[in-house]
């Protein structure tokens, strides 16, 4: 039956940036759909753990800093050691540094590209290697952005990295679809999280954005839940290399 195909019972998922915001929402969604979840974060994921365990879900915390690719093999190993195998990777961790392009510092450029682009690629590679070794396919969901499609203002490295995420999602889907590995992405619109604190505290920018969102509100972590479960489940087994916008209509405008 069709709803059974959305079930993640018996699956194991690794979500980066699991302690807050969209990553936390997606951890809860995957757990509610039946998956055991490993959350990767620089610091404690205690709140996410509580949200999952109070509903009877299973949660593993993996502390790792994705400002280098050094912890990636350990992330795979810790998840496999705990759960026996891995089936789902959600590449959610990401940062944004706002500076005028004319003054943009190399250090800011490198930091953003490292976490949002290089770590994302090497996590995809490490999980795909593990999926191929396990022989039963797997799911990868990358978190893109409206700035995978648009230029943005004062965020050149973020736009470059998120545009790369959309392209990489297509490229990797092509190479790995034959192994039963689905690589897709979700492009959130303007969501009320730490990532947009600065934007939302600027009344003029905040109103300009809100007025342009057809749904008439900022998105929330809950808004990500349906899309992530779909893309991590058997229901999307013939969806490859696509980026789904969860944006209240922003791109349609
Ligand atoms: P957030 O700032 O609340 O969350 C970012 C997450 O990434 C946090 O868990 C943080 O700890 C983690 N992270 C950052 N650097 C890390 C590092 N070096 N190592 C490990 N973890 C690290 O914001 P969010 O909105 O929840 O962002 C989640 C993702 O969604 C990001 O990729 C962001 O770019 C993307 N996104 C957000 C919006 C939005 O409007 N909020 C829109 C489009 C895309």
């Amino acid at each position: 039956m069709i709803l059974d195909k959305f079930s993640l019972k018996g699956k194991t998922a690794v979500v980066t940036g699991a302690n807050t915001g969209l990553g936390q929402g997606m951890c809860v969604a995957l757990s509610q759909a039946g998956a055991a979840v490993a959350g990767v974060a620089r610091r404690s994921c205690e709140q996410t753990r509580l949200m999952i365990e109070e509903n009877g879900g299973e949660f593993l915390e993996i502390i790792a800093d994705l400002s280098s690719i050094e912890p990636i093999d350990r992330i795979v190993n810790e998840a496999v050691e705990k759960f026996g195998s891995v089936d789902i990777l959600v590449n959610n961790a990401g940062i944004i540094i706002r500076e005028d392009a004319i003054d943009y510092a190399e250090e800011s450029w490198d930091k953003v590209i490292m976490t949002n682009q290089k770590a994302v690629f090497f996590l995809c590679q490490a999980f795909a290697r593990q999926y191929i070794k396990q022989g039963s396919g797997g799911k990868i969901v990358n978190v893109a952005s409206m700035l995978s499609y648009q230029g943005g203002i004062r965020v050149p490295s973020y736009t470059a990295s998120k545009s790369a995420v959309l392209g990489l999602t297509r490229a990797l889907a092509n190479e790995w679809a034959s192994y039963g590995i689905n690589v897709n992405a979700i492009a959130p619109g303007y969501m009320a999280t730490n990532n947009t604190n600065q934007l939302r505290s600027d009344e003029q920018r905040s109103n300009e954005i809100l007025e342009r969102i057809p749904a008439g509100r900022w998105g929330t972590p809950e808004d990500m839940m349906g899309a992530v479960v779909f893309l991590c489940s058997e229901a999307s087994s013939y969806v490859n290399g696509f980026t789904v916008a969860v944006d209240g209509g922003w791109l349609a405008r």
Side-chain angles (χ1 to χ4, degrees):
M1 298 294 276
I2 182 59
L3 286 183
D4 297 334
K5 289 190 185 278
F6 286 82
S7 170
L8 301 179
K9 240 186 208 117
K11 303 289 183 191
T12 64
V14 175
V15 180
T16 67
N19 56 313
T20 183
L22 306 184
Q24 183 174 69
M26 291 191 284
C27 284
V28 170
L30 297 174
S31 173
Q32 286 182 8
V37 177
V40 179
R42 282 170 295 187
R43 291 176 289 276
S44 162
C45 287
E46 211 38 45
Q47 199 185 11
T48 309
R49 177 194 294 284
L50 286 176
M51 290 165 87
I52 287 180
E53 289 183 348
E54 76 187 7
N55 283 319
E58 194 178 355
F59 184 77
L60 168 71
E61 174 179 273
I62 301 178
I63 299 294
D65 184 346
L66 292 168
S67 59
S68 93
I69 63 170
E70 180 273 326
I72 288 177
D73 286 343
R74 177 173 60 82
I75 291 171
V76 178
N77 292 341
E78 281 188 29
V80 170
E81 206 166 286
K82 168 80 175 174
F83 299 130
S85 61
V86 282
D87 307 292
I88 293 163
L89 166 68
V90 179
N91 262 317
N92 164 77
I95 54 170
I96 189 162
I97 302 180
R98 298 173 196 277
E99 289 165 20
D100 292 339
I102 202 76
D103 295 322
Y104 211 83
E106 184 182 1
E107 193 191 349
S108 307
W109 177 271
D110 287 345
K111 270 191 191 161
V112 172
I113 297 292
M114 178 60 233
T115 303
N116 294 13
Q117 183 175 334
K118 186 170 174 182
V120 165
F121 171 73
F122 283 101
L123 273 158
C124 288
Q125 183 192 61
F127 274 73
R129 286 176 176 168
Q130 179 64 25
Y131 294 158
I132 291 167
K133 196 157 93 185
Q134 292 171 187
S136 49
K139 303 281 182 179
I140 296 175
V141 175
N142 296 321
V143 175
S145 165
M146 295 297 96
L147 302 191
S148 304
Y149 304 92
Q150 300 178 315
I153 299 168
R154 305 188 68 244
V155 285
S157 58
Y158 187 81
T159 304
S161 67
K162 293 296 187 178
S163 298
V165 164
L166 187 147
L168 265 178
T169 298
R170 290 177 173 144
L172 301 180
N174 294 338
E175 288 201 38
W176 299 338
S178 60
Y179 294 103
I181 299 172
N182 297 79
V183 188
N184 290 294
I186 300 174
Y190 285 82
M191 317 298 269
T193 67
N194 297 334
N195 176 286
T196 52
N197 273 344
Q198 222 178 322
L199 268 189
R200 284 178 295 121
S201 61
D202 176 337
E203 204 177 310
Q204 193 195 336
R205 282 287 284 135
S206 178
N207 287 337
E208 282 167 9
I209 288 167
L210 203 51
E211 276 168 17
R212 199 192 172 284
I213 303 173
R217 65 171 178 85
W218 290 73
T220 66
E222 290 74 42
D223 288 315
M224 302 288 284
M225 292 172 111
V228 77
V229 169
F230 170 61
L231 291 177
C232 291
S233 74
E234 210 190 317
S236 61
S237 61
Y238 202 58
V239 180
N240 299 82
F242 197 70
T243 298
V244 177
V246 175
D247 67 349
W250 177 275
L251 287 179
R253 183 122 174 201

